[in-house]
Amino acid sequence: VLRPEQYQDVVSTLNQLAEQTPDAEAVTCDGLSYTFKELYERSSQLAYYLREQGVVAEQRVGVALERSRDLPVAFLAILKAGAVYVPMDLSYPEQRLAYMIKDSQMQHILVSDNRIAELAGEAQLHCLPEITLHDSWQMETVYPAQGAYVIYTSGSTGNPKGVLVSRGSIGMHCRSIGRRYGLSASDRELIFMSFCFDGAHERWLSAVTHGGT
């Protein structure tokens, strides 16, 4: 059982940083960046869009995007919508991607283009570059036991298995990692891992929730 002082949702932490250090650089990729204020605003607007499209609490939402500064925006938007994100590495074989879509029962997938259209089945594709974002949004009420994201195992002993990481677990983990390694706003961290690997989410979330880049 998590005591209140042990748990703070990563979204709440990032909302606070957007107020405290709005102009600090939060994420950067290929020479393009978002400040904490921009990360907050774009993820909030995308969360509103997702809710308008029918995304509901705890629903699995696929993220099949090219690596860019918009990738963390998508992850945060899904969390703000109250849903659970499922990272999809576009370098994976089509059979594995199709299995992940079916097994997780995702009904919505954020994409960069239509390359996985034939794999999506009944899931609705939302092409991020074509989405018009509006300022309206409302944060959904979330709880520590709710899911944050699903990571699929390697499948070396059979079919890959989706492992659900809760909001409470990742929130408490980021705080613990920050204390252990003395993370601060002056830190810049290179994320080189595939986002289909759990360690990538531990690392990017630990960095930004401590005000780093």
Side-chain angles (χ1 to χ4, degrees):
V1 177
L2 293 174
R3 296 191 299 273
E5 65 271 18
Q6 291 179 299
Y7 171 73
Q8 183 174 21
D9 191 82
V10 293
V11 172
S12 299
T13 301
L14 289 169
N15 289 349
Q16 291 173 4
L17 285 166
E19 292 184 2
Q20 296 165 1
T21 58
D23 299 323
E25 187 178 54
V27 297
T28 181
C29 182
D30 288 338
L32 299 173
S33 302
Y34 283 134
T35 64
F36 278 93
K37 181 182 179 181
E38 290 169 334
L39 185 65
Y40 166 84
E41 290 177 343
R42 290 188 67 84
S43 60
S44 297
Q45 292 162 5
L46 183 56
Y48 178 79
Y49 166 84
L50 291 172
R51 295 291 294 191
E52 288 289 288
Q53 298 302 308
V55 171
V56 298
E58 301 244 55
Q59 191 174 56
R60 276 53 169 166
V61 179
V63 180
L65 297 171
E66 293 285 357
R67 203 174 183 92
S68 75
R69 62 175 177 165
D70 286 316
L71 198 49
V73 170
F75 294 145
L76 285 176
I78 293 166
L79 291 178
K80 287 184 176 184
V84 177
Y85 65 81
V86 185
M88 300 170 66
D89 192 324
L90 293 171
S91 68
Y92 280 1
E94 289 187 354
Q95 183 178 4
R96 181 181 174 92
L97 293 174
Y99 174 82
M100 292 169 64
I101 293 169
K102 183 178 180 180
D103 182 72
S104 66
Q105 299 181 326
M106 63 180 73
Q107 297 177 32
H108 300 270
I109 309 174
L110 285 170
V111 297
S112 302
D113 50 46
N114 290 320
R115 78 182 73 176
I116 66 164
E118 294 184 1
L119 310 177
E122 296 181 1
Q124 184 177 350
L125 300 184
H126 305 272
C127 189
L128 190 57
E130 299 175 3
I131 294 173
T132 300
L133 298 180
H134 302 282
D135 289 338
S136 300
W137 88 289
Q138 181 178 353
M139 179 66 188
E140 298 300 314
T141 301
V142 294
Y143 303 95
Q146 285 182 245
Y149 59 88
V150 171
I151 294 292
Y152 274 81
T153 62
S154 62
S156 56
T157 57
N159 286 328
K161 294 179 177 60
V163 178
L164 178 67
V165 177
S166 73
R167 292 171 182 261
S169 294
I170 190 59
M172 187 168 62
H173 183 75
C174 288
R175 290 184 64 182
S176 299
I177 287 292
R179 287 195 299 266
R180 175 69 174 173
Y181 295 106
L183 295 178
S184 73
S186 63
D187 288 313
R188 295 175 66 84
E189 184 161 343
L190 172 66
I191 308 297
F192 59 88
M193 295 172 281
S194 165
F195 281 96
C196 279
F197 177 54
D198 189 51
H201 300 276
E202 174 229 349
R203 292 314 321 150
W204 86 267
L205 283 168
S206 292
V208 295
T209 53
H210 288 83
T213 306

